[in-house]
Amino acid sequence: MSELLNKLQWRYAAKKLDPTQAVPQDKVDRILEAARLAPTSSGLQPFEIYVIKNKALREKIKPLAFGQQQVEDCSHLLVFAAWDNYTPERINMMFDLTNTERNFVSEGGENYRQMLLANYPKRDAEVNFEHAAKQAYIGLTAAMISAAFEGVDCTPMEGFDPKNLDELLGLRAKGLRSVVILPLGYREADKDWLVNLKKVRRPNDQFITEID
């Protein structure tokens, strides 16, 4: 089995993190970089990540996450916040950045920009938010795989009150909405009921269909 698959076999959604162990910053940086490098639809990268190291703030977030202890015990809490809408300004920002970084303007790229500008902003804002949220989950997955590779535990959480978390972090004023959170830390194995249980996934013949 490859090293990556071994790491994925090792990882699980840790239920008890050791509050005395902090994830080294270089590991956190690589996890964040993996999320930044994740692919997104049309390359728009329509989400941002808030990294919460402040313990007092994490303690305020814990009740918004229905008391899940990992939020308090982790050393870094990642909040994935998606754009609340696709606007001409946001679309243009990403295409302008691409042109600047590549130091040339592509006719095909500019045509694609105009296609997005003609279609995305006029869609319902909630449709656009849901689309952006799906892109955030791609970044989440990249972060989780990177964390496993770094030997760092993490627990993806949708179980939280996004409206109140948005208010606490001032996200709505920035045109963002929280979609998923990810505590990073190290498992406290002797206090985690899940740590020694066998990982269960459907077998390939129930999961993969090959069409020749």
Side-chain angles (χ1 to χ4, degrees):
M1 186 180 292
S2 72
E3 182 179 1
L4 177 57
L5 292 182
N6 278 325
K7 294 290 189 179
L8 293 178
Q9 182 66 36
W10 167 85
R11 76 149 305 277
Y12 71 108
K15 302 305 179 185
K16 183 65 176 73
L17 298 176
D18 186 345
T20 68
Q21 289 198 62
V23 180
Q25 190 59 47
D26 63 324
K27 289 180 177 284
V28 176
D29 290 343
R30 288 191 289 270
I31 291 168
L32 292 170
E33 182 66 358
R36 190 180 74 92
L37 293 174
T40 56
S41 178
S42 301
L44 291 178
Q45 204 174 5
F47 65 94
E48 298 179 17
I49 302 174
Y50 282 65
V51 184
I52 301 173
K53 296 185 284 186
N54 184 281
K55 189 174 188 297
L57 181 54
R58 296 201 314 272
E59 288 174 350
K60 291 181 180 179
I61 295 173
K62 179 183 171 183
L64 304 182
F66 309 109
Q68 295 181 85
Q69 189 63 37
Q70 302 98 311
V71 171
E72 181 179 338
D73 290 344
C74 69
S75 67
H76 299 73
L77 179 65
L78 309 188
V79 177
F80 289 75
W83 290 354
D84 61 357
N85 201 356
Y86 287 115
T87 65
E89 292 77 16
R90 282 171 160 166
I91 293 170
N92 283 322
M93 177 268 294
M94 285 305 299
F95 277 86
D96 290 345
L97 176 63
T98 298
N99 291 342
T100 298
E101 290 294 310
R102 292 177 176 171
N103 200 30
F104 73 92
V105 177
S106 159
E107 180 180 355
E110 291 305 302
N111 289 338
Y112 195 74
R113 180 207 296 249
Q114 294 306 317
M115 185 273 291
L116 293 183
L117 288 171
N119 290 280
Y120 278 25
K122 69 182 182 182
R123 298 192 308 196
D124 183 80
E126 191 64 23
V127 170
N128 282 337
F129 164 70
E130 292 294 338
H131 184 270
K134 292 176 182 177
Q135 313 313 306
Y137 274 88
I138 300 174
L140 169 75
T141 301
M144 291 173 60
I145 293 173
S146 177
F149 203 81
E150 296 287 343
V152 173
D153 286 295
C154 64
T155 306
M157 296 179 176
E158 291 182 309
F160 66 96
D161 182 339
K163 182 178 180 180
N164 282 318
L165 182 58
D166 293 351
E167 182 177 349
L168 179 63
L169 299 180
L171 296 181
R172 293 299 181 103
K174 299 174 182 177
L176 299 168
R177 292 169 59 181
S178 57
V179 294
V180 65
I181 61 178
L182 186 69
L184 300 177
Y186 292 105
R187 63 188 68 173
E188 196 166 11
D190 61 338
K191 297 180 181 178
D192 192 335
W193 61 268
L194 188 55
V195 66
N196 290 319
L197 294 185
K198 181 180 179 180
K199 184 186 290 286
V200 178
R201 297 292 187 272
R202 287 155 56 196
N204 283 350
D205 62 358
Q206 297 178 22
F207 183 69
I208 298 169
T209 299
E210 295 187 7
I211 302 176
D212 295 327

